[in-house]
Amino acid sequence: MSRRGRITSETRAAAKSFLRRRTAVFFTFLFPLLIVVIFGALVQTQPTGGGLFTEAPAYYVPGYLAVVVLFTPLSRVGSEVARHREGNRFEKLATTPLSRGEWLAAQTLVNVAIIGIAGALVLAVMVAVTGAEIVLSPLLAVFLALGVALFCAVGALIGSLADSQDGVISASNAIAIPLLFLSETFVPPYLLPEWFRPLLDLSPLSYFSRGVRAVVTDTGPSAEGTVVAAWPSGPDPLFNLVVLAVLAVVAFAIGTIALPRTD
């Protein structure tokens, strides 16, 4: 069987395995929608009120998308690796032609598809609830795919190092929650201490946030009244795209190496 055939078969198996876990499917789509409802409809933005949520609704598009791009791959892939370790499945996989890189690629493809659907649902609900004005750029899909690939690899690394599925969930939350709020998602940089702002560049999620924010906002001269008038789009979105792509490739390589050969 060719490499493409092996990845396709593993992707199909991983997708069926996910769909069998109805609770996981339900909360994968429900959790981000709850965040949108809580922050978008209940808290709401206050453009002149000061404090959190002072920007226009579209500013928070990267934050809402980051909920699925960050949390879902970390917990799903991390838990999948932990389950494989507990069931000695990597030892069995080592006797097949499927390589660790192909296994991780298959898991990544499944997550890209799932999170792509969840991301589209989040955007639709967010626009309906908050009235945000956004531009649907093809680059948005590329940012989503690269972000998912990056955090799938980090999830594989967590799953390889944690001693149990419970440890994976704890480690995933410990990493994801600070990143979610300290990567130019829900909290604008000017609300953070000046000494902390350079540290934002160390978060891979910052490049996702900056790039997504740049491509979903209209930068044309007729953009009056849109969010682009309220804050700069930041560096060229292509710059953020390249950085995110490099980080995803490096993380994928490290995640592949970290996957156990035997149990």
Side-chain angles (χ1 to χ4, degrees), residues 195-215:
W195 62 266
F196 186 84
R197 294 173 197 169
L199 299 180
L200 295 175
D201 292 336
L202 299 179
S203 169
L205 190 63
S206 294
Y207 300 97
F208 173 83
S209 300
R210 294 166 182 166
V212 168
R213 185 167 294 120
V215 298

Side-chain angles (χ1 to χ4, degrees), residues 67-87:
V67 173
V68 283
V69 168
L70 179 62
F71 278 88
T72 304
L74 288 183
S75 60
R76 285 203 67 248
V77 176
S79 297
E80 194 67 25
V81 172
R83 273 194 294 272
H84 272 59
R85 290 174 58 196
E86 292 172 0

Side-chain angles (χ1 to χ4, degrees), residues 81 84-92 260-263:
V81 172
H84 272 59
R85 290 174 58 196
E86 292 172 0
N88 297 327
R89 297 180 192 173
F90 282 115
E91 190 164 345
K92 297 172 184 173
R261 291 179 183 276
T262 58
D263 303 285

